[in-house]
Amino acid sequence: MLKKFLQKKIYKQITGESQFILENIPPTVNELHLKFQNIFELGIYLHIPFCRYICPYCPYNKELYHPDLIKKYTVSILKEIDYYASIAGSRPVTSFYIGGGTPTTMLNNGIETIINHLYKSFNMRCSIHIESHPNDLNYGNLNILKSVGVKYLSIGVEALQDRHLRALHRPYTTSEVKRSVERAVNMGFDCVNVDFIFALPNQTYQEIEQAGHTLVSMGVQQAATYPLFQFPYTKIGQNAIKKEPKLTLLLKRRKMLNILEHIFYNADFERSSVWAFTKAGVEKYCSVTVPLYLGLGASGGSYLNDIFFLNTFNVAEYIESIEHNKMPTALSIDLTENMQMAGWLYWRIYETRFNKKDFSRKFEIDFDSKYGRVMRFLSHIGFLKDNGQQIVLTDKGAYWLHAFEDWFSIDFISKLWGNSKNIPWPEKVVLMTDRKGN
Ligand SMILES: C[S@@+](CC[C@H](N)C(=O)[O-])C[C@H]1O[C@@H](n2cnc3c(N)ncnc32)[C@H](O)[C@@H]1O
Ligand code: SF4
């Protein structure tokens, strides 16, 4: 109750709004054409919702791999590309990310067709960032990835001790996953990122230290190290693995992240986002990097200045909708200028540094006149440094500000994704309302 009350107060303070409600009102073609009149550059996110195994902790939209479904999914994506390409015209696409699920389930199985079609249909001015599963990374698949233009590859390593891999139900051993990563590193991608989860049940600080050194010794250019988040609609969330008191968990995460920070900084890595460390001089692996983007595929989300909209999460419904020439948008929300500014700040905090000028250029308002008081307070308590032009989060600030963001967003994501997973075309999803009880 108190949490909800505080969330509402803070949300109202930051955005000036008391509601956050997504509704089943997809934008029309004409509306999209109008919105694109003010868009000069965009990113593309493509969602591949298939996995060969379902992990008990995973909140993402995915289902079990099935060859028939994949064929139909490919055809639907091609049609969705045609639809948006006719609206985006020759505007440059400067960032392209393929996420999942597990995109590498579609290697030799449709993804090449999708990528080729995308590069023919849009004015693509970027290389590809893609997520992969360690078990898919044999030499044949790695060569395909290189040949289609992947330069930034992420691998879901998750843990580097067999007992934790077993607890997470990952289908490989520590030595197998190390071999996969080393194969990928030797292929010469611009950046190989590994995802690693910490603060697992019963994980010790020594194990974190050992895993941190192993991550560095494998020669990767980047490590994204997330604490285990427990989403209520996942198996782990429902079984509620031995719940630790919130503050104990926060402090344990902080100490483990501290250990990893020391190891990476000593190995010439720099912090590139709240959870990620990238080798100095390497361009980071990351999701879509430009502020405006289109999302393709089941659960693909699009953000175009004053609107955010989301495709249905249900793969069969996504396919059927496109087969009937109906766009698969399930939910949308019009964003006020205050909401757009708050969203901008949310993502810049995640990236840990930003230029105030970028804010002023985008919103035509001086950054300090909008957020100066809050920034001065955060600077005073040691969370950030403000040199007049640029804000840089300190290690302490990166952790605690993100813990604060999580306090909001895990609830929001659980509601939005949990609902969307259960109901393919929800009438609306209420994330925040001024009505009592919500
Ligand atoms: C889409 S998956 C990565 C690619 C591939 N599907 C795999 O599992 O190897 C995205 C990553 O998010 C992270 N992740 C998933 N669920 C998480 C959770 N509950 N808490 C923290 N990180 C999580 C994992 O590191 C996972 O590798
Ligand atoms: S962690 Fe990766 S493989 Fe596991 S269910 Fe999630 S997306 Fe699929």
Side-chain angles (χ1 to χ4, degrees):
M1 273 307 262
L2 178 65
K3 182 177 180 187
K4 262 190 193 158
F5 173 78
L6 288 174
Q7 280 180 336
K8 278 184 197 180
K9 280 268 173 234
I10 294 166
Y11 177 75
K12 171 100 184 164
Q13 187 69 29
I14 295 174
T15 65
E17 298 292 317
S18 46
Q19 313 224 80
F20 196 112
I21 301 176
L22 293 103
E23 294 183 87
N24 185 227
I25 309 174
T28 64
V29 175
N30 288 342
E31 282 166 345
L32 287 177
H33 272 289
L34 279 176
K35 293 195 188 299
F36 266 87
Q37 283 179 1
N38 297 319
I39 293 176
F40 306 103
E41 172 189 15
L42 69 149
I44 291 184
Y45 172 80
L46 166 64
H47 193 78
I48 306 295
F50 305 109
C51 296
R52 289 182 209 275
Y53 312 86
I54 301 295
C55 308
Y57 52 89
C58 176
Y60 298 107
N61 185 34
K62 76 278 165 188
E63 50 186 72
L64 269 181
Y65 168 90
H66 193 287
D68 291 345
L69 208 54
I70 283 193
K71 276 198 194 105
K72 290 187 182 162
Y73 194 68
T74 305
V75 174
S76 304
I77 298 271
L78 297 181
K79 273 181 121 174
E80 203 184 8
I81 290 173
D82 289 341
Y83 175 77
Y84 285 121
S86 69
I87 298 169
S90 61
R91 286 168 185 81
V93 175
T94 50
S95 175
F96 176 32
Y97 186 87
I98 311 179
T102 307
T104 42
T105 51
M106 285 187 70
L107 280 174
N108 239 334
N109 212 351
I111 206 155
E112 301 84 339
T113 315
I114 294 174
I115 291 172
N116 286 337
H117 193 62
L118 200 94
Y119 274 77
K120 267 192 233 142
S121 311
F122 284 92
N123 179 10
M124 300 296 284
R125 292 270 172 262
C126 52
S127 49
I128 304 172
H129 294 232
I130 193 170
E131 292 174 355
S132 72
H133 190 286
N135 285 12
D136 292 332
L137 297 181
N138 54 40
Y139 279 116
N141 280 346
L142 285 165
N143 277 319
I144 299 177
L145 287 170
K146 283 221 92 172
S147 70
V148 294
V150 170
K151 296 228 163 100
Y152 300 80
L153 177 71
S154 176
I155 310 169
V157 164
E158 319 296 53
L160 283 162
Q161 280 101 15
D162 287 344
R163 74 182 191 108
H164 292 304
L165 287 172
R166 276 195 300 275
L168 293 173
H169 296 250
R170 295 294 284 188
Y172 47 78
T173 61
T174 306
S175 45
E176 284 164 347
V177 75
K178 276 162 70 179
R179 279 202 296 277
S180 285
V181 173
E182 280 160 4
R183 264 198 305 279
V185 167
N186 289 334
M187 294 295 289
F189 292 98
D190 285 9
C191 181
V192 172
N193 168 78
V194 287
D195 282 345
F196 174 79
I197 308 183
F198 67 94
L200 296 170
N202 306 316
Q203 195 167 33
T204 65
Y205 295 117
Q206 284 87 340
E207 283 175 325
I208 289 297
E209 181 136 16
Q210 186 204 24
H213 287 298
T214 309
L215 289 170
V216 169
S217 72
M218 289 190 296
V220 297
Q221 286 83 14
Q222 182 173 304
T225 59
Y226 307 100
L228 176 70
F229 296 114
Q230 292 184 43
F231 291 84
Y233 62 93
T234 60
K235 249 196 186 143
I236 274 191
Q238 278 154 12
N239 296 344
I241 46 178
K242 194 169 68 72
K243 286 246 172 180
E244 286 178 77
K246 281 254 158 57
L247 190 60
T248 317
L249 189 60
L250 277 173
L251 293 174
K252 180 171 149 191
R253 285 178 178 178
R254 179 72 199 113
K255 191 165 169 194
M256 289 191 167
L257 188 62
N258 244 170
I259 294 173
L260 293 166
E261 274 166 11
H262 280 299
I263 293 171
F264 289 122
Y265 291 159
N266 281 334
D268 201 25
F269 284 69
E270 292 167 350
R271 174 166 247 132
S272 51
S273 79
V274 172
W275 306 119
F277 303 88
T278 311
K279 265 262 173 208
V282 172
E283 204 174 307
K284 69 177 175 182
Y285 166 92
C286 56
S287 191
V288 173
T289 51
V290 283
L292 306 179
Y293 54 87
L294 287 171
L296 308 173
S299 73
S302 303
Y303 173 55
L304 304 175
N305 282 326
D306 58 354
I307 187 171
F308 173 76
F309 53 97
L310 196 59
N311 282 348
T312 179
F313 276 48
N314 187 297
V315 176
E317 292 280 339
Y318 167 83
I319 292 169
E320 198 183 318
S321 163
I322 292 192
E323 270 173 3
H324 289 91
N325 294 319
K326 186 178 154 270
M327 286 320 291
T329 315
L331 289 167
S332 76
I333 178 165
D334 291 327
L335 303 166
T336 62
E337 185 147 66
N338 270 327
M339 286 161 109
Q340 293 173 50
M341 290 185 209
W344 186 94
L345 194 59
Y346 178 98
W347 286 112
R348 298 301 84 77
I349 285 177
Y350 195 83
E351 287 163 0
T352 72
R353 63 185 61 224
F354 57 88
N355 290 322
K356 296 182 191 177
K357 240 187 8 227
D358 293 340
F359 179 88
S360 319
R361 213 177 290 134
K362 182 158 175 60
F363 296 106
E364 294 171 0
I365 297 180
D366 176 53
F367 180 82
D368 285 333
S369 66
K370 182 76 191 166
Y371 293 119
R373 258 179 55 194
V374 185
M375 294 298 129
R376 274 194 296 282
F377 170 72
L378 294 175
S379 167
H380 185 69
I381 58 172
F383 278 18
L384 55 85
K385 292 202 168 100
D386 179 350
N387 72 6
Q389 274 95 48
Q390 199 186 37
I391 303 265
V392 180
L393 267 63
T394 59
D395 284 340
K396 181 167 99 178
Y399 179 74
W400 287 109
L401 284 174
H402 196 257
F404 173 75
E405 283 188 347
D406 270 352
W407 185 67
F408 270 94
S409 51
I410 300 244
D411 282 358
F412 276 28
I413 290 172
S414 296
K415 232 181 190 178
L416 181 59
W417 290 6
N419 256 299
S420 301
K421 193 70 200 150
N422 288 335
I423 310 166
W425 309 103
E427 212 172 286
K428 60 164 116 166
V429 175
V430 180
L431 298 182
M432 184 81 72
T433 172
D434 44 8
R435 279 215 236 112
K436 277 205 173 125
N438 279 296

